Amino acid sequence: MKLLILNGVNLNLTGRREPGVYGSDSLESINAEIARFAGARGVETAFLQSNLEGELCAAIQGAEGVYDGIVLNAGAFTHYSYAIRDAIAAISVPVVEVHMSNVHSREEFRRRSVLTEVCRGEVLGFGKNSYLLAVESFVL
Ligand code: DQA
């Protein structure tokens, strides 16, 4: 099994931005943990982070026939990107939406995701472990 771990806008700053909300581990070290966790379960992982909506759409389109699943933290795009939503709907690869924070306990605008309806499921609120739980969901 091959999974694409896709991170969107501002996730490159993980570890440095709002550490009280997103923790103090860098995205690089979180990705290394995900690779180890997935590897121990016989799952191959590839990683991409982009601050550009179109680049994320291209990565989602390109996943068809290449990956068995996508673990996606789209960052703030989650709340308004119909382009990313349409890209997810356009492919047959299942996508699991991830958020490190509990978006329901924060500002009102974070409660709405335009992606969830076209995703297989959603994991949120467990910090970096949200990514690991999403990977686990593919091997259960
Ligand atoms: C986030 C939550 C989003 O609301 C926010 O814009 C992010 C990160 C999370 O991982 O908790 O950038 O997706």
Side-chain angles (χ1 to χ4, degrees):
M1 175 174 297
K2 255 174 104 172
L3 298 180
L4 175 63
I5 315 300
L6 194 53
N7 278 285
V9 64
N10 294 319
L11 273 309
N12 55 310
L13 298 180
T14 303
R16 279 179 282 150
R17 75 158 173 159
E18 302 182 74
V21 178
Y22 301 117
S24 51
D25 292 343
S26 67
L27 185 61
E28 249 175 27
S29 78
I30 293 172
N31 283 348
E33 252 183 79
I34 296 169
R36 272 197 303 276
F37 182 87
R41 285 155 181 79
V43 176
E44 249 183 77
T45 39
F47 297 89
L48 180 76
Q49 185 277 328
S50 178
N51 291 318
L52 306 178
E53 188 181 29
E55 226 164 70
L56 295 165
C57 291
I60 292 164
Q61 292 176 18
E64 190 78 274
V66 178
Y67 296 102
D68 302 295
I70 300 175
V71 171
L72 172 65
N73 185 349
F77 288 141
T78 303
H79 311 299
Y80 64 89
S81 176
Y82 297 123
I84 292 176
R85 178 198 170 103
D86 284 352
I88 296 169
I91 60 168
S92 64
V93 180
V95 177
V96 172
E97 180 180 342
V98 158
H99 301 288
M100 289 184 277
S101 65
N102 178 352
V103 286
H104 299 290
S105 68
R106 301 179 62 194
E107 300 92 331
E108 180 68 35
F109 75 89
R110 294 187 204 277
R111 294 202 185 142
R112 165 109 171 107
S113 166
V114 300
L115 309 181
T116 312
E117 278 171 13
V118 291
C119 287
R120 174 186 274 183
E122 185 183 21
V123 182
L124 61 91
F126 298 101
K128 62 183 178 178
N129 289 336
S130 291
Y131 292 100
L132 305 184
L133 292 165
V135 168
E136 185 77 41
S137 76
F138 282 100
V139 293
L140 286 173

